[in-house]
Amino acid sequence: MSAIEVVGLTKRYKDFQAVDDVSFSVSRGETFVLLGPNGAGKTTTIEILEGFRTRTSGEVKVLGQDPQKASRAFRARIGIVQQSAGDLGRLSVRDTITHFASLYPNPRKVEEVIEAVGLHGKASEPIKKLSGGQQHRVDVALGLIGNPEVLFLDEPTTGFDPEVRRAFWEVIRGLQQEGMTIMLTTHYLDEAEELGHRGGVIVDGKLVALGKIAEIGGRESRKPEVSWVEAGVQRIERTDDPTLFIGELSKRIGSAPENLQVKVPNLEQVYLQLIADHRNGVKIED
C-alpha cells in the first residue's frame, strides 16, 4: 500500500512551470529520495505533499488524504524538516523540544531525540545562541519528536559536519527499521545511496528518472566503461561484460592493452549525465 501517491502533479506561477506533470508513489516503510539541481522543483513538490503549497493540477495523496484539505489529525501523523532553521527564540533546546512533544498524541522521548541529532551537549543552551548548523539540528529534532508515520526531510543534513551527518544516517536507519516512511531531498549523493530505497531525478520541473537508487538512469547508463591506449590513441568502449571484452581485445591486439582501466558509473556520474541529457534534449531510456 502506498503512503504517498502523486499523479500528474503540476505547479505553475504565471509563465513559470515549477513542477510539470510529475507522477510517482512511495510505499509504506520506504525511503524515497528526490534528487535534482537547485530550482528543479524538489522543494515545491515536497511542500505540496506537506500541504503548505497549493497545486495547479494533478492528484496528491499522503496517508490516503489530500494534504491540501487535511485535518489537524493528519498533521500529527507527518513530520517535517525544512531546509532552513526556524527562528525558535530564547527557549533552550530541551524546553523547545519538550513543548513540541506535548502537542502530539504519541511523541518520542525528548532525551532520545536530543541525542539522536547530536545536541546532548547543548540541551540547556538557548536556541538563539546556537550556530546555524546546530539550529538546523533542532529543526530535525522537531520533525522527529511527534513520532510521525511519514517524515519529510528537505536537505536535513545541510550544515552538519561529516561525523554528525553519519550519526544522523544511523538515526534514519533506525527509523527505517521501525517501518517509518521517509521522503528525502538532498544534494549529497552518497546520502541518497546510503539511505534511499527508491528515488527520482527532477530537472526543470520534470521527473527524468525514477526507480531503485542502484538502477536510476537505466541499464545503459550503468554500463562499465573500458578505456585503453592503442597505437597511441585513447579509446573508450562501454560494455555489459568488461572481462569478455578485455579478453577479446587482448587477442585482437596480441598483448595486454596499454593503460587499461575499467570504470563503473556511480550515482553522481549517472545523475550528472541525466541532467545534461535532459537539457540537451536527449531522450532518456529506462
Side-chain angles (χ1 to χ4, degrees):
M1 182 177 179
S2 295
I4 298 172
E5 297 179 8
V6 178
V7 180
L9 176 61
T10 298
K11 179 62 179 179
R12 185 182 301 109
Y13 300 94
K14 294 184 179 180
D15 296 330
F16 176 63
Q17 193 90 337
V19 181
D20 188 358
D21 194 25
V22 166
S23 298
F24 62 89
S25 65
V26 182
S27 299
R28 287 184 180 267
E30 183 175 53
T31 297
F32 184 91
V33 186
L34 192 59
L35 300 170
N38 288 330
K42 302 186 304 299
T43 295
T44 299
T45 298
I46 208 168
E47 287 181 349
I48 290 171
L49 294 176
E50 293 165 347
F52 290 145
R53 194 178 296 271
T54 60
R55 59 190 182 272
T56 303
S57 62
E59 296 182 10
V60 175
K61 292 287 180 65
V62 178
L63 297 173
Q65 298 188 49
D66 182 341
Q68 197 169 313
K69 304 174 182 178
S71 64
R72 179 178 292 184
F74 166 79
R75 297 282 173 207
R77 299 173 67 193
I78 67 171
I80 297 170
V81 180
Q82 297 175 323
Q83 287 183 17
S84 58
D87 181 8
L88 297 171
R90 300 181 179 181
L91 289 176
S92 71
V93 170
R94 182 179 288 107
D95 287 346
T96 300
I97 297 172
T98 299
H99 169 69
F100 275 82
S102 70
L103 304 178
Y104 292 95
N106 184 34
R108 303 180 77 87
K109 294 179 180 179
V110 171
E111 296 302 324
E112 171 189 290
V113 171
I114 290 173
E115 181 75 25
V117 298
L119 288 175
H120 53 281
K122 298 288 183 178
S124 299
E125 289 283 334
I127 291 174
K128 69 175 185 176
K129 292 187 176 181
L130 302 180
S131 68
Q134 290 168 339
Q135 289 184 17
H136 189 50
R137 294 185 210 176
V138 177
D139 281 339
V140 174
L142 297 181
L144 292 175
I145 194 62
N147 199 22
E149 294 175 52
V150 176
L151 180 62
F152 293 99
L153 299 170
D154 195 3
E155 300 182 25
T157 58
T158 299
F160 284 19
D161 63 45
E163 182 181 6
V164 174
R165 188 160 70 99
R166 290 186 176 274
F168 181 73
W169 291 359
E170 292 305 313
V171 174
I172 297 303
R173 291 189 182 101
L175 298 174
Q176 290 171 334
Q177 291 174 1
E178 293 174 13
M180 187 178 291
T181 305
I182 299 169
M183 184 161 178
L184 166 71
T185 72
T186 182
H187 284 298
Y188 299 118
L189 297 181
D190 59 338
E191 189 162 272
E193 290 180 306
E194 286 286 336
L195 301 177
H197 299 130
R198 292 174 58 250
V201 178
I202 188 169
V203 186
D204 299 332
K206 290 184 176 291
L207 194 66
V208 301
L210 181 68
K212 294 180 180 179
I213 294 296
E215 299 173 1
I216 278 182
R219 180 179 175 184
E220 189 66 26
S221 70
R222 300 280 177 164
K223 273 188 178 182
E225 180 182 274
V226 180
S227 64
W228 72 101
V229 173
E230 184 177 347
V233 178
Q234 177 77 42
R235 300 183 183 276
I236 298 175
E237 186 77 24
R238 300 186 72 177
T239 174
D240 288 319
D241 191 336
T243 301
L244 178 62
F245 177 82
I246 292 168
E248 293 176 347
L249 174 63
S250 298
K251 289 179 182 178
R252 180 174 62 79
I253 63 178
S255 63
E258 183 182 351
N259 293 343
L260 178 67
Q261 292 186 346
V262 179
K263 297 179 180 178
V264 179
N266 58 23
L267 179 59
E268 180 177 357
Q269 292 168 312
V270 171
Y271 167 78
L272 292 174
Q273 190 62 54
L274 285 168
I275 294 172
D277 286 348
H278 171 77
R279 290 178 172 169
N280 290 329
V282 177
K283 180 175 173 55
I284 299 169
E285 300 290 345
D286 292 331

